[in-house]
Amino acid sequence: MKKTLSLGLALVWPVLLAGAFGQTRGGGQTRDAVPTLSDSLQEVVVTGTGTQHLLKDAPVQTEVITAKMLKNYGGRSIEDILSGLTSSFAFNEDDMGSQMQLNGLGNDYILILIDGKRIHGDVGGQNDLSLIDPQNIEKIEIVKGAASALYGSDAIAGVINIITKKHNEGLLIENSTRGGSYGDLRQHNGLGLAIGRVKSYTNFHLQHSDGWQNTATEDPHQTERLIEDSRNMTVNRYTNWQVSERLTYEPFKGLELYADGSTYWKRIYRPSGKYAAVDVKTYDLEYRNQSLAAGAKWNHGLTREKTDAITLDVNWDRHAYYYYYTAITLTDGYDPKGNFTPYYPYFPDDEELQSDQRRTMAHLKGIFSLPGNHRLSGGLEWRYDYLKAPMRVADGKATDHTEALYLQDEWRCPLNATTAVSLTPGLRLNHNGQFGYRFTPKVSAMLTLGENIRLRATWSQGFKTPTPKEQHYRYVRYMNATYLYLGNEYLKPQTSNYYALSGEWNWQGLNVTVTGYLNKLDNMIALVTIPNTQAPAEYIVKYDPVKTRQYQNMEEAETKGIDLSLRYRLGREWMFGGSYSYLDTDAKKYDTTHERLVDVVIDGTAHHKGSWFATWNHAFSPKYTMGVGLYGRMSSTRYYQINGNGKGYQTWRLSTSHEFPVARKWLFGLEAGIDNIFNYCDRTYHGLHLGTTTPGRTVYGKLTVRFAQGKKLKITNNMSNSKSNNNEED
């Protein structure tokens, strides 16, 4: 405790000194050290419409986590960043992924993009967000609500677009190493080259944690006796790494060709205990991802706008999930010839494939500015999904394919010098190999009243077909008790109607945004507990499950709530802000046993969530800049159908950043902080839901070293002059 307080004082004392001397010392440097709030409204965003807009002029409400916010916060992961800097998200990380939720709807309804392209990495229905390197993020754009008209399936709850940094330096070498409590290690290395018309950026990132255990007590309702020395971890030890490469070539001005690829590996290490029915583990979990992509962007010059372009993207992604055995195990499996064998013996270091998911996509898109303040965008998409899962899917494999055509028009009508109306209608025609054709429309409108007030309204439909997993899944989970999970071949596509009304007010450094929304879903797919008598008899006889859960369509479901966001800049150095999210959900399912509609909880629902922050940035001299941030977040009780509810909680965080530019090409950076200052830890019995998985108070530190030569390197035919020509000054 004393060591932690001493570290906290060491981090805070420069702030106290700045309060006394900050107005006189280095005053000339502070004036332009930090962007103003109005500068943040000049951020260019693309996610809401797929076209470029200034944030203040975007017709679709967009929330932005800027580069400055990311730097001040110093998050260890994308989950940490989103939950700490916006109140709309909730996470409950486990071995199967992030368990992310946005405004009442889970990961399956949230589309995650990296530079506008879909992330691929499904883990038990959850995306593995450790595929994203936080060190390489420039900013994050969040659009809430159904966006299927523009992005197709999955975009019912909203869209998260991770915008990566653009590396245009002639030579860039960067290293970032972060270490923290419980063996937490985050390593980032980047190498960028720009030679003539060719650019290359190679990125490596590694993540490791020793994991932690909040309690050694198992849920007594699911065990035959009270167990207080279980080895089950709250978060298991894990290691993952990824190497990615991006090449671009500009044959002439206005045309860019690119190719990129990545490979990813992850192992989750699971300790084995002494209680056979509770904590004995005979295998670890292993994941391997590969991706390849190529495409082109042509700023065609056919219209007056330089941002108008035609793009073509083709990508292939693979995600494979294995059991990596650590002890001799007799279980259902396949011999080397592919024959199914009950009680097949697996030995240490053997692997058993659980799922191999592959996706191929092609996307052609065009943007054209037309007379009369119209901008037309449209495109064609093709997608093919392949799933091989011998132990988890009936018949061992499943496929699906989708084609789509979409159009969108953006129209802006100035009413006078300070007032304007914007209207953005869109329509998508979707064709799925199993479920046929479906139209998905949307319309967004914005009224601009002077420089300070903007009113936005949106109605949009969502559409999502059942995934191969939801249709064909079969899985037995042994954890305290036996649970049987089943797919459902009779699922119907999900549809939604999303309504939102928001107001934004800007005045003398203050920005306030209030949004009310209603998302009504028909045929929502969710895991529902069913009587064992409704499950296939052979599964009940074989596994004797305590509970059986199956993917089923709800009769109806809706989420509704209010989001409030406030930011205020005091002078050039202080920034205060916060957000609050109120959520209410309602879902109904037809109970075939009692022939009536019954209310069903949407898992993970919390009625109240909030986050708040205060940051201070000061340039003491041209060679030293410091930032300090204090952050808090809270959540009320989270509700679940089974395994108890998650407790409400509140946590606080202190972070500091220090930059030391050296000469004109070198930059050294230090970051340090304390997370969960007041040492809150949820010690609910293992096997039940937690409000938060934090282990309590943790500390971290990070060192960054960056070398950047600003201008592109030149190609010369005179080898004797290559040294001088390839080392230009900034």
Side-chain angles (χ1 to χ4, degrees):
M1 181 67 178
K2 291 182 178 179
K3 290 182 178 180
T4 303
L5 293 176
S6 298
L7 177 59
L9 291 173
L11 298 175
V12 170
W13 72 263
V15 182
L16 304 179
L17 290 179
F21 300 107
Q23 299 302 317
T24 57
R25 183 179 180 182
Q29 286 83 15
T30 64
R31 182 168 299 175
D32 296 317
V34 180
T36 65
L37 181 62
S38 60
D39 291 334
S40 67
L41 297 177
Q42 303 301 316
E43 287 271 355
V44 175
V45 296
V46 298
T47 309
T49 61
T51 57
Q52 294 186 10
H53 289 275
L54 294 179
L55 177 59
K56 65 184 182 66
D57 296 327
V60 177
Q61 182 69 44
T62 305
E63 183 177 354
V64 178
I65 299 177
T66 66
K68 193 68 180 178
M69 295 169 67
L70 291 168
K71 179 181 174 183
N72 283 334
Y73 188 72
R76 63 190 287 270
S77 65
I78 190 67
E79 294 96 333
D80 186 18
I81 291 168
L82 290 175
S83 61
L85 293 177
T86 176
S87 62
S88 300
F89 289 93
F91 294 88
N92 194 18
E93 299 176 60
D94 60 19
D95 290 347
M96 291 294 100
S98 65
Q99 307 290 340
M100 177 170 55
Q101 190 184 72
L102 170 60
N103 284 352
L105 296 176
N107 193 95
D108 286 348
Y109 301 95
I110 305 168
L111 178 61
I112 304 173
L113 309 173
I114 299 180
D115 293 327
K117 300 177 181 62
R118 289 171 176 258
I119 190 174
H120 182 68
D122 178 79
V123 183
Q126 303 290 327
N127 282 315
D128 185 356
L129 298 183
S130 58
L131 287 163
I132 302 169
D133 182 1
Q135 188 66 24
N136 198 37
I137 299 176
E138 178 64 27
K139 64 179 178 179
I140 302 172
E141 298 180 9
I142 303 166
V143 174
K144 300 170 186 175
S148 296
L150 190 60
Y151 293 106
S153 188
D154 305 333
I156 287 182
V159 179
I160 305 169
N161 193 4
I162 311 294
I163 310 296
T164 61
K165 295 177 180 177
K166 303 300 180 285
H167 305 283
N168 298 313
E169 300 85 352
L171 173 63
L172 170 68
I173 303 173
E174 56 185 358
N175 173 85
S176 175
T177 304
R178 170 183 168 133
S181 304
Y182 298 97
D184 189 70
L185 175 65
R186 311 280 155 158
Q187 177 66 39
H188 162 86
N189 296 95
L191 173 63
L193 290 171
I195 305 175
R197 298 180 182 273
V198 178
K199 298 178 186 177
S200 167
Y201 184 72
T202 306
N203 183 70
F204 169 81
H205 76 96
L206 177 144
Q207 301 175 350
H208 173 83
S209 173
D210 288 341
W212 57 84
Q213 185 184 53
N214 288 358
T215 180
T217 303
E218 297 289 333
D219 174 21
H221 294 93
Q222 299 182 15
T223 57
E224 295 180 357
R225 55 174 172 158
L226 182 64
I227 294 176
E228 297 181 299
D229 58 346
S230 169
R231 293 200 64 197
N232 278 323
M233 306 283 283
T234 304
V235 173
N236 283 316
R237 182 167 69 97
Y238 65 86
T239 302
N240 64 69
W241 56 262
Q242 183 179 53
V243 179
S244 60
E245 167 67 24
R246 181 177 176 88
L247 285 170
T248 61
Y249 172 59
E250 188 178 2
F252 55 83
K253 187 176 181 179
L255 177 63
E256 181 182 84
L257 309 177
Y258 79 89
D260 61 36
S262 68
T263 184
Y264 169 88
W265 176 90
K266 181 175 184 176
R267 172 77 63 78
I268 297 177
Y269 304 90
R270 309 195 308 162
S272 186
K274 61 183 179 180
Y275 299 103
V278 176
D279 63 357
V280 170
K281 306 293 191 303
T282 61
Y283 55 86
D284 294 335
L285 308 179
E286 186 169 297
Y287 309 93
R288 301 174 200 159
N289 283 28
Q290 293 85 35
S291 67
L292 294 171
K297 180 178 181 180
W298 175 39
N299 293 101
H300 48 70
L302 301 176
T303 57
R304 66 182 185 275
E305 295 293 335
K306 294 182 180 180
T307 57
D308 289 356
I310 296 175
T311 60
L312 173 64
D313 300 286
V314 179
N315 56 277
W316 172 87
D317 299 278
R318 182 194 182 208
H319 171 80
Y321 166 39
Y322 299 86
Y323 284 171
Y324 186 91
Y325 285 92
T326 56
I328 297 176
T329 305
L330 296 176
T331 185
D332 293 349
Y334 287 83
D335 64 23
K337 295 183 179 180
N339 299 315
F340 178 79
T341 305
Y343 304 107
Y344 183 79
Y346 287 95
F347 297 93
D349 298 330
D350 282 350
E351 293 179 344
E352 181 187 27
L353 177 67
Q354 299 301 305
S355 68
D356 181 353
Q357 300 175 81
R358 306 184 190 190
R359 183 189 66 198
T360 305
M361 292 188 67
H363 183 198
L364 177 64
K365 177 182 177 180
I367 303 172
F368 304 90
S369 294
L370 304 177
N373 292 323
H374 289 270
R375 179 158 56 174
L376 181 68
S377 58
L380 298 169
E381 287 186 5
W382 172 79
R383 171 174 172 171
Y384 177 78
D385 288 282
Y386 168 83
L387 170 63
K388 178 182 178 182
M391 303 307 302
R392 293 172 177 260
V393 169
D395 299 326
K397 63 181 180 179
T399 62
D400 195 15
H401 66 88
T402 301
E403 301 80 38
L405 164 68
Y406 68 91
L407 291 171
Q408 175 185 264
D409 180 36
E410 300 173 64
W411 175 63
R412 178 178 172 83
C413 177
L415 302 180
N416 55 47
T418 60
T419 306
V421 174
S422 299
L423 195 64
T424 307
L427 181 66
R428 185 183 192 92
L429 175 60
N430 202 76
H431 174 261
N432 180 266
Q434 298 183 63
F435 299 99
Y437 291 92
R438 172 78 187 195
F439 280 106
T440 308
K442 74 154 192 178
V443 61
S444 297
M446 180 176 72
L447 175 62
T448 303
L449 300 173
E451 289 296 320
N452 298 327
I453 299 176
R454 287 167 179 80
L455 303 177
R456 295 179 175 90
T458 293
W459 166 71
S460 56
Q461 285 193 346
F463 177 69
K464 177 175 170 58
T465 56
T467 65
K469 272 193 171 184
E470 291 168 338
Q471 292 177 293
H472 307 289
Y473 202 60
R474 60 180 184 191
Y475 175 59
V476 180
R477 180 188 180 194
Y478 301 101
M479 185 174 177
N480 301 344
T482 303
Y483 291 85
L484 174 64
Y485 293 84
L486 298 173
N488 186 346
E489 296 183 8
Y490 301 100
L491 291 173
K492 302 175 184 177
Q494 304 162 91
T495 60
S496 70
N497 281 277
Y498 176 78
Y499 309 87
L501 181 65
S502 67
E504 180 182 350
W505 178 50
N506 298 285
W507 181 74
Q508 295 186 357
L510 176 65
N511 174 265
V512 180
T513 302
V514 181
T515 303
Y517 65 89
L518 171 64
N519 206 351
K520 297 179 69 70
L521 286 80
D522 291 323
N523 295 318
M524 177 183 178
I525 296 174
L527 272 172
V528 175
T529 302
I530 63 173
N532 285 348
T533 55
Q534 295 183 12
E538 61 270 24
Y539 290 163
I540 302 301
V541 172
K542 183 175 182 179
Y543 301 112
D544 189 24
V546 171
K547 288 190 178 183
T548 300
R549 308 200 76 198
Q550 185 181 44
Y551 289 103
Q552 292 192 359
N553 289 109
M554 302 284 193
E555 296 299 320
E556 59 184 48
E558 67 178 34
T559 66
K560 49 187 176 292
I562 297 175
D563 290 339
L564 170 65
S565 172
L566 184 148
R567 295 182 190 177
Y568 176 63
R569 179 168 293 284
L570 179 62
R572 304 288 300 188
E573 299 180 344
W574 289 93
M575 185 74 163
F576 304 90
S579 60
Y580 166 76
S581 178
Y582 170 77
L583 169 69
D584 193 16
T585 65
D586 182 27
K588 296 185 182 299
K589 175 188 173 295
Y590 187 73
D591 183 350
T592 56
T593 302
H594 300 93
E595 298 185 346
R596 64 182 181 183
L597 286 175
V598 295
D599 293 327
V600 180
V601 173
I602 296 181
D603 282 346
T605 296
H607 292 307
H608 307 279
K609 295 191 294 292
S611 65
W612 49 90
F613 69 89
T615 61
W616 174 82
N617 290 270
H618 183 79
F620 288 90
S621 74
K623 294 188 177 181
Y624 176 49
T625 300
M626 179 181 179
V628 179
L630 180 65
Y631 301 85
R633 61 182 177 184
M634 62 76 64
S635 173
S636 61
T637 301
R638 298 185 69 188
Y639 297 97
Y640 294 88
Q641 294 181 44
I642 63 172
N643 296 334
N645 299 322
K647 295 178 181 178
Y649 68 91
Q650 181 181 132
T651 60
W652 291 81
R653 172 193 183 97
L654 175 68
S655 63
T656 70
S657 62
H658 315 262
E659 283 194 349
F660 306 89
V662 179
R664 300 176 65 187
K665 300 180 180 181
W666 289 91
L667 175 69
F668 292 86
L670 292 172
E671 295 181 20
I674 305 173
D675 201 3
N676 197 349
I677 297 173
F678 299 106
N679 199 31
Y680 174 78
C681 183
D682 188 344
R683 302 197 184 278
T684 299
Y685 295 148
H686 187 83
L688 301 178
H689 289 290
L690 303 179
T692 172
T693 59
T694 175
R697 185 185 301 112
T698 58
V699 297
Y700 72 90
K702 184 169 81 170
L703 170 66
T704 300
V705 180
R706 190 175 190 269
F707 172 85
Q709 179 170 303
K711 293 184 178 180
K712 293 182 181 180
L713 304 178
K714 291 184 178 180
I715 299 176
T716 176
N717 293 324
N718 187 344
M719 298 301 293
S720 63
N721 294 331
S722 62
K723 181 176 181 179
S724 61
N725 288 335
N726 288 351
N727 291 276
E728 293 186 353
E729 294 297 327
D730 289 347

